Amino acid sequence: MSISLLAYMHCKKDAEAAFDTELKKLVEASLKEEGCLAYELYQYKDEPTKYVIEEEWVDEDALSRHMEAPHYKYFVHISPVLLETAADVKILTRLI
C-alpha cells in the first residue's frame, strides 16, 4: 500500500508571497521524483495564510528519498523564517 503525508502550515502574514513561491517550487520538483504518486497544494479559502500539502508515495522508501532530496531540504531550511508556527505533519498509511 502507498503512504501519504499531510502537512498543515501557517505562514507569517508578511511572508505570504515568498511562502507561496517556495511552496510552488517544492511541489514542482517533488512531482518529478520517482515514486511520487501525488503532491497537491491547497490554501484555506477563508484564511489565505494557511496551507495544506497532501502527498502520496508508492512506499516508505520513496518518501524517505524525498526527505533527502535537495529541494525538500532547502524548503525545510528556509521555512522557519516564513512560518508562524512549525508545520504540523502527519504520515498516513492507506488502509483500503
Side-chain angles (χ1 to χ4, degrees):
M1 290 283 176
S2 64
I3 189 162
S4 296
L5 184 146
L6 292 175
Y8 301 90
M9 296 166 287
H10 182 187
C11 78
K12 295 177 181 175
K13 189 139 183 83
D14 60 345
E16 293 169 37
F19 192 65
D20 190 73
T21 297
E22 294 302 330
L23 277 173
K24 288 176 181 174
K25 288 193 294 190
L26 174 67
V27 171
E28 184 178 315
S30 298
L31 283 169
K32 295 175 184 174
E33 289 182 59
E34 184 179 338
C36 180
L37 299 174
Y39 210 99
E40 298 180 10
L41 174 62
Y42 300 92
Q43 186 176 37
Y44 284 40
K45 184 177 180 181
D46 56 347
E47 296 181 69
T49 59
K50 294 186 178 180
Y51 297 82
V52 176
I53 290 180
E54 182 180 6
E55 309 172 23
E56 186 176 8
W57 299 89
V58 293
D59 55 26
E60 286 190 50
D61 289 338
L63 177 57
S64 294
R65 285 191 304 273
H66 166 64
M67 291 180 170
E68 293 299 318
H71 58 272
Y72 177 83
K73 285 186 170 188
Y74 173 77
F75 182 78
V76 169
H77 176 73
I78 64 154
S79 63
V81 175
L82 303 171
L83 289 173
E84 189 70 39
T85 58
D88 180 17
V89 178
K90 306 292 184 205
I91 297 178
L92 311 167
T93 302
R94 183 180 298 275
L95 298 178
I96 56 172

